[in-house]
Amino acid sequence: MTPATSPFSWEICVDHARDRLIDDDLWSGFEQECKIESQSRQGDSYQFASSCPDARLAGTFKGDLAKAYTLSADTTVQVNGKSEVQRTELAAVFQGACPAGLAPGAKKMRGGMVMKSLYTDR
């Protein structure tokens, strides 16, 4: 994955049955903290808008976890009475089977550091 708005990129082994894309990559705790206010699907595209503690999160997913996908999201918060928007854009492409030593859900950062699997409690 290479976020367009961040200097960090990483490899991740995605386990389709356990992956929670929004919860894992946009808002940790999304499923418990946020409420989806609207959502729509058309073909391989999915859009949503949600309210979260002290923020609003809206995003678009397009593609397929098995091949390639893009995810873009805007997080809007109030700072000193003014709306500030943080845009997150991810582009992911299937690169083949997980490399040895990288468990499903684990992230390998550009510098080589491996973060444990996101799926350990699922």
Side-chain angles (χ1 to χ4, degrees), residues 20-32 122:
R20 296 178 184 155
L21 191 63
I22 296 170
D23 203 70
D24 293 341
D25 290 312
L26 293 178
W27 188 291
S28 180
F30 178 86
E31 294 170 350
Q32 294 77 33
R122 297 183 194 158

Side-chain angles (χ1 to χ4, degrees), residues 1-121:
M1 289 189 184
T2 303
T5 53
S6 170
F8 302 104
S9 64
W10 60 87
E11 293 179 40
I12 183 170
C13 289
V14 176
D15 180 335
H16 297 206
R18 295 191 287 177
D19 191 68
R20 296 178 184 155
L21 191 63
I22 296 170
D23 203 70
D24 293 341
D25 290 312
L26 293 178
W27 188 291
S28 180
F30 178 86
E31 294 170 350
Q32 294 77 33
E33 297 177 5
C34 302
K35 178 183 176 192
I36 293 180
E37 296 178 335
S38 66
Q39 58 186 332
S40 64
R41 182 180 299 267
Q42 185 174 7
D44 67 351
S45 182
Y46 172 78
Q47 294 180 329
F48 71 95
S50 62
S51 59
C52 304
D54 302 318
R56 297 188 51 76
L57 176 64
T60 301
F61 171 89
K62 183 170 176 56
D64 179 341
L65 289 175
K67 297 175 186 162
Y69 63 88
T70 58
L71 174 67
S72 61
D74 290 327
T75 304
T76 305
V77 297
Q78 293 293 316
V79 178
N80 297 326
K82 182 181 173 189
S83 290
E84 296 286 338
V85 178
Q86 176 184 354
R87 182 155 189 83
T88 301
E89 295 182 4
L90 297 173
V93 177
F94 179 70
Q95 298 290 315
C98 293
L102 194 59
K107 289 182 178 181
K108 182 177 181 183
M109 306 307 286
R110 185 184 316 182
M113 179 180 76
V114 175
M115 298 172 70
K116 71 178 186 170
S117 175
L118 301 166
Y119 310 142
T120 55
D121 297 329

